[in-house]
Amino acid sequence: MMDTPLTISAIADHVATFHGSREIVSVTADNPRHRYTWGDAMLRAKKLAAALKKLGLQQGDRLGTVAWNDYRHLEIYYGVGGAGHVCHTINPRLFPEQLIFIINHAEDRWLAVDPMFLPLIEKIAEHLNSVEGIIVLTDEAHMPESSLDNVHCYETLVGAESGDFEWPQVDERSASALCYTSGTTGDPKGVLYNHRSTILHAYAGIAPDVLSLSSQDTVLPVVPLFHVNAWGIPYSTAIVGAKLVMPGPKMGDGETLYELLDSEDVSIALGVPTVWLALLQYVEQNGKRLDKLERTVVGGAAVPRSMIEAFRDIHGVELRQGWGMTEMSPIGTVNSLKSGLESLDSEARLDLATKAGRGVFGCELRIVDDAGNELPWDGVAYGALQVRGPWVCSDYFKLEGKSGSHTDDGWFDTGDVATIDPEGYLAITDRTKDVIKSGGEWISSIELENTAMGHPDVAEAAVIGVSHPKWTERPLLLVVRNEGAELSDKAMLAYFKGRVADWWIPSDVVFVDELPHTATGKVKKVELRQQFADFKLSG
Ligand code: ADP
């Protein structure tokens, strides 16, 4: 067989050839509804590549992005990756020290930033060692003032090029993108994706039992382009020629999301659980229905049963849960119904849908005990979850084996604790560091959170372990009540009776106005553990 390389530029050429007239719709800070086509996007990606060459970017060099989901960010994915540079997507909500660390560690030569993030970069600019200039993602009319030197306007750079740029030949095993893990413990760690891993991962994502993408679909990634390459959506939608809809800075805004879903006929939307809380709340309060949406893919954190139920029973929308991580590009498992399980009744299907899903071809799974022995797939035994496959990282960027993240026999240790049932469905019980150890036994914080969120008065819940003189640790439940709800602590704890083992029932509950979230919408458990470190349990 021929050995034609699997490269980002090959996707760019394919989508321009076969799906050039398919639409891309974006919300941006300077335009509430920008529309153009995949053909336009790929032409502009070539113009960008030509402009970057003139700025001196060489193959392998990193360009950092600090931007929301919109068409300019998408063009950077292709213009940078296609030309053999590395697109380093940066999470704008990280602390300034983390941003400085990441940009210096990646040795980003240029940064491309949304105008709203320019002040953030100005504040840290004096600490950035490698950055030669900034490209502001807007046109001349909207260019902000800046105290920095060498600031360029994106539209001016792109507008000066003809688009006759030829994509260079690149090795499919050379780097195309870079993402850092959020680094809740220690410094953030970089994961370097290559062209081949990116394409294999995108291919896998398209399959009917995974994300199920076709040219007929309209796809709304609410997962940020800076969060593990938006789960591969910028690539997989181009391979199939799907319409793409991007919400720009309006990620967490239920009203904008609803309007995009409705007016653009979105069939598939993807994001972490918290963004769907905002959407479900909006539609409920405004008497709307999600009639056109067929499917949501939800991952990045455990999905509450009540959310799966609300999508299914109120809106007729299938919620597919997925599990993965930055180190895995990110897809590991996706929860779709296997042949033979159709006879499960409605409740049993819901139970199954709360699991993280089953293995996707290309990502092997195993669970092991402390001694490294493989555990049975009986749905009961839990252990450290390890993975292996062509889109799983073999090491962290520049760490060269120092992180201790891989086993001697070549598996990546995910830091998650899981069970796998006889059908191959994985259930995440916890992150290793979030597990609550009570009297020598483990309690799953995720299961307690899901149970609490099943209560109709609960908007959001988190469970952490706090120290206990007799049991080492006991679970403490933190709850955000729905607006106007008068749920008492007694009633909240009584709700667990019969739903979980008695000794799992949290020892105490604290009602809070809100929970702290990371930029990717996950509850910051580290912060909660610090905040409640001296909490005296009443139970
Ligand atoms: P970080 O949160 O460290 O930035 P990722 O975004 O890569 O990194 O998150 C990966 C982690 O998110 C997984 O290791 C797992 O703990 C958690 N996670 C992802 N999907 C799920 C899921 N469906 N259920 C439970 N936990 C999940």
Side-chain angles (χ1 to χ4, degrees), residues 110-357:
W110 282 79
L111 294 178
V113 303
D114 275 346
M116 70 170 76
F117 297 126
L118 191 57
L120 186 71
I121 300 301
E122 284 171 338
K123 267 193 220 128
I124 60 170
E126 62 172 315
H127 305 287
L128 303 180
N129 306 329
S130 55
V131 175
E132 293 163 31
I134 313 282
I135 301 169
V136 184
L137 297 169
T138 191
D139 54 19
E140 288 292 349
H142 296 89
M143 271 298 278
E145 292 281 315
S146 177
S147 57
L148 300 176
D149 297 333
N150 215 11
V151 175
H152 293 250
C153 167
Y154 182 84
E155 289 300 330
T156 309
L157 280 180
V158 168
E161 301 298 331
S162 68
D164 60 3
F165 181 85
E166 294 280 331
W167 296 122
Q169 298 264 329
V170 298
D171 182 341
E172 65 175 19
R173 285 186 163 78
S174 64
S176 60
L178 174 64
C179 246
Y180 281 74
T181 60
S182 52
T184 40
T185 51
D187 283 331
K189 295 195 277 287
V191 178
L192 198 60
Y193 311 98
N194 64 37
H195 291 254
R196 180 174 182 271
S197 70
T198 302
I199 289 188
L200 293 175
H201 174 265
Y203 263 134
I206 290 163
D209 278 353
V210 185
L211 308 179
S212 186
L213 299 176
S214 89
S215 63
Q216 305 289 326
D217 281 306
T218 297
V219 183
L220 175 72
V222 189
V223 51
L225 289 176
F226 58 75
H227 188 201
V228 214
N229 303 313
W231 305 348
I233 285 296
Y235 307 112
S236 49
T237 51
I239 291 174
V240 299
K243 174 175 163 183
L244 197 52
V245 180
M246 290 179 283
K250 301 281 191 175
M251 292 277 191
D253 175 3
E255 184 175 357
T256 307
L257 292 182
Y258 172 76
E259 277 168 10
L260 287 173
L261 288 169
D262 190 55
S263 61
E264 300 297 338
D265 296 333
V266 171
S267 55
I268 304 174
L270 308 92
V272 296
T274 38
V275 297
W276 306 122
L277 286 176
L279 176 74
L280 288 173
Q281 216 167 39
Y282 173 80
V283 291
E284 190 187 318
Q285 283 165 2
N286 293 278
K288 313 263 190 204
R289 283 181 52 85
L290 301 169
D291 288 330
K292 296 175 181 167
L293 190 63
E294 289 167 24
R295 196 157 55 255
T296 59
V297 178
V298 188
V303 184
R305 196 174 200 271
S306 50
M307 182 179 285
I308 305 171
E309 207 171 3
F311 271 113
R312 185 185 80 174
D313 296 344
I314 303 174
H315 301 285
V317 174
E318 181 196 2
L319 186 153
R320 275 192 195 175
Q321 181 163 182
W323 166 83
M325 56 202 305
T326 307
E327 291 85 339
M328 299 167 60
S329 299
I331 301 174
T333 63
V334 172
N335 195 329
S336 52
L337 201 68
K338 238 170 116 169
S339 167
L341 298 178
E342 296 85 356
S343 58
L344 291 177
D345 66 20
S346 166
E347 280 302 297
R349 279 200 190 198
L350 261 186
D351 289 341
L352 184 68
T354 60
K355 296 195 172 189

Side-chain angles (χ1 to χ4, degrees), residues 1 6-7 44 81-82 100 207-208 232 329 412 497 523 538:
M1 292 295 114
L6 302 171
T7 58
R44 280 166 51 93
I100 295 166
S329 299
F412 171 70
K497 195 91 187 146
V523 174
S538 61

